[in-house]
Amino acid sequence: MTDSLEGDSAPEHGVGPFPGGEGAWPEDARLDPDLLREGDRRNVVDRYRYWRHEAVVADLDERRHEFHVAIENWQHDLNIGSVVRTANAFLAREVHIVGNRRWNRRGAMVTDRYQHVRHHPTVEGFVAWAHSEGLAVVAIDNLPGSVPLETAQLPRECVLVFGQESVGLSDAVRDAADATLAIAQYGSTRSINAGAAAAIAMHAWVRQHADIDAGHA
């Protein structure tokens, strides 16, 4: 089964059926016969046109970065879909939902099919998992004593943790974090939403550790 953007008004994009018909199809096990026959309208980059879903995920798994992203979900945060979509764009290893399992997938724009998402019912369980994997727990929140994200050296192997916009990170995450970093702000608002904060922090990791040329290829 192929995926598509949700909603009847989603714009059409992608490519049509493979030119030349079935007799012209390339011999490549990664390609999906249904997509070759009917066209590929998925929200994927051109290199993955006509690829089977499983083949796309397998290729991404070969290249995923060493950082993870986690977001606390105690109040069914509507930003989680945006976080998942951005994590896919920056090729995070995994996204972790801490707290409530259910979240609104609409904002993910189907990228959750290609991004590994793991659930942890409690902060304690999540922190224990992170430490067992050798990952530094890096909290992102504008708290007294936080270190500026803009000048901090992020660990290569880490999990960036975000709270809900209304309340920020829980005390349990604050206490367990190996470091707490804050994003510089200059206006009147006291906070930015978790989706925007996650994008800023992930990009900070990319600037320090990723192959920039590969990201623009």
Side-chain angles (χ1 to χ4, degrees):
M1 179 181 296
T2 59
D3 58 33
S4 62
L5 294 176
E6 295 183 32
D8 294 335
S9 61
E12 185 171 286
H13 53 77
V15 293
F18 193 87
E22 187 168 344
W25 289 356
E27 293 186 8
D28 188 334
R30 298 173 300 184
L31 301 179
D32 185 323
D34 290 337
L35 294 174
L36 290 165
R37 182 181 304 108
E38 300 169 10
D40 187 352
R41 303 299 180 182
R42 299 174 300 173
N43 183 23
V44 297
V45 296
D46 288 344
R47 69 175 292 182
Y48 293 134
R49 289 298 173 205
Y50 304 117
W51 282 34
R52 300 176 188 271
H53 169 258
E54 296 79 5
V56 175
V57 174
D59 188 70
L60 293 173
D61 287 346
E62 291 291 324
R63 303 184 292 107
R64 292 191 193 276
H65 290 130
E66 295 94 329
F67 77 92
H68 297 240
V69 178
I71 184 167
E72 294 193 274
N73 186 34
W74 308 117
Q75 300 172 354
H76 298 289
D77 196 314
L78 297 179
N79 291 297
I80 292 177
S82 175
V83 173
V84 171
R85 184 180 181 184
T86 305
N88 171 270
F90 290 133
L91 206 56
R93 182 74 58 181
E94 287 186 322
V95 174
H96 302 265
I97 311 299
V98 182
N100 294 318
R101 179 183 293 273
R102 295 185 62 184
W103 55 281
N104 189 327
R105 285 170 165 75
R106 187 173 184 83
M109 300 290 282
V110 198
T111 56
D112 54 308
R113 294 198 65 204
Y114 304 92
Q115 179 63 51
H116 299 299
V117 180
R118 186 192 299 246
H119 174 246
H120 305 267
T122 66
V123 171
E124 293 75 17
F126 160 71
V127 172
W129 169 85
H131 289 166
S132 72
E133 295 292 318
L135 299 172
V137 177
V138 179
I140 308 294
D141 205 347
N142 290 352
L143 299 170
S146 298
V147 174
L149 171 66
E150 295 75 19
T151 57
Q153 179 63 35
L154 289 168
R156 177 175 286 275
E157 297 183 353
C158 67
V159 54
L160 305 169
V161 191
F162 305 88
Q164 309 222 186
E165 182 178 1
S166 58
V167 296
L169 288 167
S170 66
D171 290 339
V173 170
R174 297 176 186 180
D175 293 342
D178 298 297
T180 301
L181 308 181
I183 297 170
Q185 295 178 206
Y186 302 92
S188 62
T189 183
R190 63 177 296 274
S191 66
I192 55 180
N193 69 53
I200 292 168
M202 282 187 258
H203 192 253
W205 187 98
V206 163
R207 292 189 65 180
Q208 293 183 22
H209 298 296
D211 180 343
I212 303 302
D213 289 339
H216 288 277

